[in-house]
Amino acid sequence: ALRKGSDLEKAFATAALVYNNYADPESKLSKSETKSLLQSQFWHFIQGQENKPKYQEIISSLDEESENKINFEDFMIMLVSLALMSDLLQEIKNVKTTK
């Protein structure tokens, strides 16, 4: 659908597709599914973040026993939060591309 979309539009579409592939029929993820998705699909961003308090807070909230499920909006907020604290993001910011 976004073959002619911008790189940013394609990035968001990819995030939505990955989320939908993991989500249940109600378009939600359990906390354990969310943690699994992050570990398998976002590990370059979360690698090495284990000692950061905000990272520990986010991950510990996924370990809590709860019937609450995560919707796409909350998932995207979590992704952005994890990316912003990531050392990888700092490396990416230092790389300049020409187009």
Side-chain angles (χ1 to χ4, degrees):
L2 278 177
R3 288 186 191 139
K4 294 182 181 180
S6 71
D7 290 343
L8 187 57
E9 290 170 324
K10 289 176 186 176
F12 271 89
T14 299
L17 288 171
V18 170
Y19 177 89
N20 286 337
N21 285 336
Y22 279 78
D24 66 16
E26 297 174 347
S27 295
K28 294 189 176 183
L29 289 175
S30 72
K31 289 183 175 188
S32 64
E33 290 167 327
T34 302
K35 188 173 179 180
S36 175
L37 188 157
L38 291 172
Q39 290 170 335
S40 67
Q41 297 288 321
F42 210 60
W43 72 277
H44 284 100
F45 278 90
I46 63 175
Q47 185 178 15
Q49 305 308 305
E50 297 84 6
N51 294 325
K52 293 183 177 178
K54 184 66 177 171
Y55 174 85
Q56 291 173 350
E57 178 185 324
I58 291 169
I59 296 304
S60 67
S61 74
L62 296 176
D63 288 333
E64 294 172 3
E65 289 299 320
S66 174
E67 294 299 315
N68 293 339
K69 292 190 174 187
I70 294 173
N71 64 22
F72 182 68
E73 180 180 320
D74 291 337
F75 175 75
M76 290 302 289
I77 291 168
M78 183 181 303
L79 277 186
V80 170
S81 297
L82 290 169
L84 287 173
M85 75 178 80
S86 173
D87 297 331
L88 179 60
L89 182 63
Q90 294 308 311
E91 291 177 32
I92 291 168
K93 284 179 166 181
N94 293 329
V95 175
K96 300 287 184 198
T97 60
T98 57
K99 282 198 171 187

